[in-house]
Amino acid sequence: FVLFFYFVMHEASNTRVQHKVLVALLLSSAISGLVTIFGMFDLLHLPFSFAASKGFSTIGTINSFIGFMSIIMFLGFAMWMVSHKGEDRIIPSNGFGIFQRVLIVLVTVITLVALVAVDFWVFWVINIVGVALLAVFSFVETQAFPHPKRFILPLIDLLASLAFLFFNTPLKLGLPIVVTPNYATSWQITAASLSGGVQHLLFGTGPGTFLNDYLMYRPLEVNQSVFWSLQFDRAKSSVLTMIATTGILGAAFWLT
């Protein structure tokens, strides 16, 4: 990934490479989305035991999948809205451009279906804020957004977000609920993990060992709750999970 990052940065001035990278991102996201949606409706699962769950996706948890797909959806909105006539247009006016538009619409439909299935108010608010930001940019930079009619896809997303923010979803798929420790508990476990000596402070307890940290340092109050038998392999925040398992140095290297 580091090599890929430097390759893209080196080719940043090459419009053709930019197009290929964006199309690859849209295509891979659409394929991942189709795999997840087919699994949600129990229509088709990948031939692996770990993919048999309705909540399986190649991204991670259902919440992670929706967060990722929302980002790709807004990337597609922006690509479509700023594409204008000329040789440097982001979406060309040929058959390849039609293919890109089909991918953008497909990603949008997949994301909206997943959003309606999960119906978590945080995601609806994020989508409303995202459409509002696009609207602000379109008003401030009118030259970059030459065709107001292309705002139809963000407008559909906005209307759906406003509707389901106040009304419950009619789509009941029985998807698994994502449960994690709260921030206070996550910080308590992380702090306790780092207090095991200088080695734990600098390097953590080891990558992928948050489950052990949770079992060792979880609050006693958990035993009196409905989560007494659950085992968590990550904290509420990815950053707290990273600090606990890779230490101060690991988190610092990641930030760098």
Side-chain angles (χ1 to χ4, degrees), residues 69-78 126-127 130-131 134 157:
M69 291 298 291
S70 296
I71 293 173
I72 303 302
M73 179 178 66
F74 279 102
L75 172 66
F77 288 166
I126 290 174
N127 274 256
V131 175
L134 279 178
D157 181 41

Side-chain angles (χ1 to χ4, degrees), residues 159-223:
L159 294 176
S161 300
L162 289 173
F164 288 105
L165 183 62
F166 299 101
F167 299 99
N168 293 330
T169 175
L171 194 60
K172 307 293 184 182
L173 299 180
L175 297 175
I177 300 174
V178 179
V179 181
T180 58
N182 58 30
Y183 284 107
T185 301
S186 298
W187 171 248
Q188 180 179 338
I189 296 171
T190 298
S193 302
L194 297 179
S195 64
V198 177
Q199 181 177 352
H200 282 187
L201 179 65
L202 295 179
F203 303 106
T205 57
T209 60
F210 188 85
L211 174 60
N212 299 335
D213 299 336
Y214 174 79
L215 295 175
M216 185 175 296
Y217 301 115
R218 66 178 181 175
L220 295 178
E221 292 78 12
V222 174
N223 295 330

Side-chain angles (χ1 to χ4, degrees), residues 15-220:
T15 306
R16 188 175 181 182
V17 172
Q18 290 179 3
H19 289 170
K20 290 183 177 180
V21 169
L22 290 173
V23 172
L25 180 59
L26 286 171
L27 179 59
S28 59
S29 302
I31 294 174
S32 176
L34 288 174
V35 169
T36 305
I37 291 297
F38 286 151
M40 280 184 179
F41 286 91
D42 219 6
L43 298 175
L44 180 66
H45 297 277
L46 294 180
F48 307 103
S49 58
F50 57 80
S53 169
K54 281 188 175 183
F56 171 79
S57 78
T58 60
I59 306 300
T61 64
I62 288 292
N63 288 356
S64 300
F65 167 76
I66 293 178
F68 172 79
M69 291 298 291
S70 296
I71 293 173
I72 303 302
M73 179 178 66
F74 279 102
L75 172 66
F77 288 166
M79 290 170 58
W80 197 320
M81 292 173 62
V82 301
S83 183
H84 54 81
K85 294 182 179 180
E87 297 181 356
D88 60 340
R89 60 184 298 161
I90 296 179
I91 300 179
S93 57
N94 51 20
F96 192 58
I98 296 175
F99 177 64
Q100 284 184 249
R101 290 183 173 86
V102 170
L103 289 178
I104 293 172
V105 173
L106 182 59
V107 167
T108 302
V109 172
I110 291 171
T111 306
L112 288 177
V113 171
L115 284 166
V116 173
V118 173
D119 195 20
F120 187 26
W121 68 270
V122 172
F123 291 130
W124 295 125
V125 171
I126 290 174
N127 274 256
I128 293 172
V129 173
V131 175
L133 288 175
L134 279 178
V136 169
F137 279 116
S138 64
F139 281 115
V140 174
E141 296 289 343
T142 54
Q143 294 181 349
F145 298 87
H147 303 287
K149 292 182 179 179
R150 294 180 182 174
F151 204 75
I152 184 65
L153 282 179
L155 185 60
I156 293 174
D157 181 41
L158 177 63
L159 294 176
S161 300
L162 289 173
F164 288 105
L165 183 62
F166 299 101
F167 299 99
N168 293 330
T169 175
L171 194 60
K172 307 293 184 182
L173 299 180
L175 297 175
I177 300 174
V178 179
V179 181
T180 58
N182 58 30
Y183 284 107
T185 301
S186 298
W187 171 248
Q188 180 179 338
I189 296 171
T190 298
S193 302
L194 297 179
S195 64
V198 177
Q199 181 177 352
H200 282 187
L201 179 65
L202 295 179
F203 303 106
T205 57
T209 60
F210 188 85
L211 174 60
N212 299 335
D213 299 336
Y214 174 79
L215 295 175
M216 185 175 296
Y217 301 115
R218 66 178 181 175
L220 295 178

